[in-house]
Amino acid sequence: MASVVNDTYGWFKGLVKDRRGYDDAGLAAVSDGRIFTGKQALDLKLIDIMGDESAGIAWLEKDKGVAKDLPVRDWEKPSSSQSYFFAEALAALADKAGVPLLGSLLRTVPAQPGALDGLVSVWQPQTQK
């Protein structure tokens, strides 16, 4: 099981390296398990923009050519009746292997397999007060 976790972690780091344009030293600097603030992540080019939902929509329109009027769908956590046993088992193993970030990512498994491009972040809007 550890080899599966390590292989997935390597795959994920490869995605970050390729998609964010890191060299080996740059990747090592951002993949050692540290937590970054939003500003630090922006400065390190781990994220593209900071802001609320409207800022995200404006960024998608300007930088990615997504239509401004494309409907936004809110993601809802799957009901407890849906089974994610395998993903949870891998996440627990990642935690025990000292890779809690991978464990957290594995816990974001989509409701439909293949619905997301691998282990990716899910937009998390600000809570309204």
Side-chain angles (χ1 to χ4, degrees), residues 9-41:
Y9 183 52
W11 166 78
F12 178 72
K13 288 194 318 184
L15 287 178
V16 172
K17 181 180 178 181
D18 293 343
R19 293 179 181 183
R20 294 295 173 173
Y22 283 109
D23 59 17
D24 289 337
L27 180 64
V30 298
S31 63
D32 62 1
R34 286 180 290 152
I35 296 171
F36 299 105
T37 66
K39 181 173 179 339
Q40 289 170 327

Side-chain angles (χ1 to χ4, degrees), residues 25-116:
L27 180 64
V30 298
S31 63
D32 62 1
R34 286 180 290 152
I35 296 171
F36 299 105
T37 66
K39 181 173 179 339
Q40 289 170 327
L42 189 62
D43 292 344
L44 291 167
K45 298 185 170 85
L46 288 170
I47 61 174
D48 297 307
I49 191 171
M50 287 176 31
D52 59 8
E53 185 174 296
S54 61
I57 291 169
W59 175 82
L60 286 169
E61 180 185 15
K62 179 179 172 267
D63 288 11
K64 298 297 178 181
V66 174
K68 184 176 186 170
D69 59 349
L70 190 69
V72 174
R73 294 195 175 115
D74 290 331
W75 180 83
E76 293 182 21
K77 186 175 180 176
S79 70
S80 60
S81 65
Q82 293 177 308
S83 174
Y84 292 101
F85 175 77
F86 184 69
E88 182 54 40
L90 283 176
L93 184 61
D95 292 342
K96 291 212 180 266
V99 192
L101 176 60
L102 180 58
S104 295
L105 291 170
L106 286 167
R107 288 184 179 91
T108 64
V109 172
Q112 294 179 312
L116 294 176

